[in-house]
Amino acid sequence: MSSDLSSGRFLIAAALSAFFMGTIGTISHYAGVSAEAVTFYRLFFGALLMALFLLVTRQKEKLIVWPGVKVLLTGAFLAGFVVFYILSMQYTSMANAIMLIYLAPVAASVVAHFFMGERLSTASIGLILLALFGFAMMMEFNLSLEGRADEALGLFYGLCAMACYAAFILTNRLIEARVHVLTRSGYQMFAGALCMLPLMLLQGDVISLPQWGWLVLAGIVPGFMAIVLAVVALRALPASTFGTLAYLEPITVVALGWLLFGQSLNPLQLSGCGLIMFSGVAQALLSSRPSPKSEACLAP
């Protein structure tokens, strides 16, 4: 009985992590500042809270350590992912933006197939094609963007975000096992914040007190809390289970877009969302294999 309760807590932690990750679009909308500012403060406050957490929990050795160049490089990809994702949502629907993001594992698996020796099975290729078909359904099989300049720009930023997320996934696999996942996450956020700092300063945002509240919230919820809960969950859950629960993030984004901003989807688009998420969950189950939990990739 106690084992079931313990397992339930870890499942809840994974679900909350995915939910918290999915709030960044809503927070950025209400913050009302540039995408660069939201990205910087989400990453900076997230890194600051991670450092405080490690100090308070007497894990200073995980903080005062050289993380390696690869960790810092993934931080740059993380910054690119977040800023392009936020920009994408300014020109297209939150659903389009998040579903493009969740094609990143597909792109990463194709790159890994050709350049990293991770051969795709027939089933994996079928799931990739299914995900692409699902996105075509999201676009209502209308791939022509003539006369839809904003939509085209939003999808372009979404593709940029997807490319950065795919690069983040792939470079995370190359990081040495000695780098603890909390160290990795903290330094990735810090490096990403440094990348965004000059771009944010160029925007010259004048930030009011209510806006500061939203920016701090961005650092706390989708920044720090989502990552810590993910780390807690990964200590006990199989990677396939965690990967499946991670698909609560796009569900959260689509639901918030509908509830708060009236971004409703028709049955065809909802079916496309379902196909993309089904293919992702099935791929997570297929690709599960024994590996150190600390090496599992956290979603940004």
Side-chain angles (χ1 to χ4, degrees), residues 65-76:
V65 64
W66 170 243
V69 174
K70 294 173 186 174
V71 172
L72 302 181
L73 179 62
T74 55

Side-chain angles (χ1 to χ4, degrees), residues 35-45 47 70-83 168 184-200:
E36 293 83 357
V38 175
T39 303
F40 171 78
Y41 287 110
R42 178 204 172 178
L43 298 176
F44 176 75
F45 287 136
K70 294 173 186 174
V71 172
L72 302 181
L73 179 62
T74 55
F77 289 134
L78 174 60
F81 155 70
V82 177
V83 73
F168 177 86
R184 177 187 310 189
S185 300
Y187 275 100
Q188 283 170 343
M189 288 189 288
F190 182 66
L194 289 181
C195 290
M196 293 308 305
L197 180 59
L199 297 176
M200 181 198 69

Side-chain angles (χ1 to χ4, degrees), residues 46-55 57-65 67 71 172 175-190 223-235 293-296 298:
L48 181 62
L49 288 169
M50 183 65 74
L52 292 173
F53 173 76
L54 291 175
L55 289 174
T57 56
R58 298 182 181 180
Q59 301 181 72
K60 185 172 66 173
E61 70 282 357
K62 294 183 178 67
L63 176 63
I64 306 175
V65 64
V71 172
N172 255 291
I175 296 173
E176 295 83 358
R178 67 172 180 81
V179 184
H180 192 274
V181 68
L182 291 177
T183 302
R184 177 187 310 189
S185 300
Y187 275 100
Q188 283 170 343
M189 288 189 288
F190 182 66
F224 172 71
M225 289 180 64
I227 289 175
V228 170
L229 286 170
V231 171
V232 169
L234 282 166
R235 288 177 179 172
K293 291 188 178 68
S294 62
E295 286 300 289
L298 297 180

